[in-house]
Amino acid sequence: MRQKKLGIWRPWSWTQTGEAVREIAAGLLSLGFAHGECASILSNTVIEWVLADLAVLSCGGVCSGIYPTDAASQVHYLCEDSRTTLLFVEDDEQLDKVLEVRPQLPLLRKVIVFDMEGLHALTDPDVIGLDALRALGRAYLTRHPNAVAERAAACQPDDLAILVYTSGTTGKPKGAMHSQRGLVYSARLQHAGGARRAR
């Protein structure tokens, strides 16, 4: 993967990606993230979005994306409807929306921020940075080295994997449910199509 930062394209190898996903997933397990629980991601499409998504799926969790342009009221509705327990946000701007509605989200336990720039003075115990979550994950893996692999292996084909919400133009957004089986089928179909085109 590649992402532009300060005008320079910076690469991420799949080895780096796998390591980050494993650490984030272990961090989620250390926070008590259970199989079938929902974690939402409120962010633009950045590499951290992919890492968080894959980590949630590796834990047997359900991932739901939230548009970064959504207002605080929409964030509240989507988190409430999906029963979100952990929420990833991109930066302080997105965090502000969450903090505005957090009192109305009793199931929300932790907020994880990708970019902590501008939040160095924050002392909220239920808000942590992604780097801090990865550190929790590394510590967890020293005690439970097989935890992420075991949780991933416990996933079943018909487990709910992701929620994709409709735009809500004709009413409140509705979450379309996609299973682990459906994601694997789509990936294999795309791979097969790419292989045919390469010939």
Side-chain angles (χ1 to χ4, degrees):
M1 297 188 291
R2 295 198 309 153
Q3 178 170 285
K4 188 177 280 189
K5 189 170 184 180
L6 301 176
I8 300 171
W9 286 104
R10 301 176 188 275
W12 269 72
S13 72
W14 287 113
T15 299
Q16 289 174 301
T17 300
E19 180 182 4
V21 167
R22 187 165 174 262
E23 289 177 359
I24 294 168
L28 296 179
L29 295 180
S30 77
L31 296 177
F33 188 62
H35 180 99
E37 281 193 315
C38 183
S40 291
I41 305 174
L42 172 59
S43 171
N44 286 288
T45 307
V46 292
I47 282 178
E48 292 83 0
W49 206 112
V50 177
L51 303 178
D53 181 44
L54 293 174
V56 170
L57 293 177
S58 296
C59 291
V62 179
C63 193
S64 178
I66 303 177
Y67 287 114
T69 53
D70 282 356
S73 59
Q74 293 166 300
V75 172
H76 170 258
Y77 170 77
L78 294 172
C79 288
E80 183 178 56
D81 189 71
S82 63
R83 300 180 63 82
T84 291
T85 59
L86 299 175
L87 177 59
F88 292 90
V89 301
E90 184 175 358
D91 51 24
D92 53 341
E93 179 185 351
Q94 303 300 343
L95 177 62
D96 285 344
K97 297 176 190 177
V98 177
L99 295 181
E100 183 180 331
V101 298
R102 183 172 57 173
Q104 289 82 52
L105 294 170
L107 296 180
L108 183 61
R109 299 195 302 267
K110 289 279 186 191
V111 181
I112 301 110
V113 184
F114 295 156
D115 181 0
M116 290 292 286
E117 188 68 34
L119 293 170
H120 301 299
L122 185 71
T123 56
D124 190 320
D126 294 324
V127 178
I128 63 171
L130 186 64
D131 288 343
L133 181 67
R134 288 185 65 174
L136 286 175
R138 287 191 294 274
Y140 190 81
L141 286 168
T142 61
R143 301 187 305 274
H144 311 281
N146 301 317
V148 175
E150 289 169 358
R151 181 66 72 88
C155 291
Q156 296 298 310
D158 292 322
D159 286 349
L160 180 60
I162 61 172
L163 289 170
V164 180
Y165 276 85
T166 61
S167 61
T169 52
T170 58
K172 288 194 170 183
K174 297 174 181 65
M177 299 188 294
H178 296 266
S179 67
Q180 293 273 1
R181 184 195 306 273
L183 296 186
V184 171
Y185 176 81
S186 296
R188 285 181 175 162
L189 199 64
Q190 286 185 344
H191 176 72
R196 282 196 297 271
R197 285 192 297 274
R199 293 188 198 125

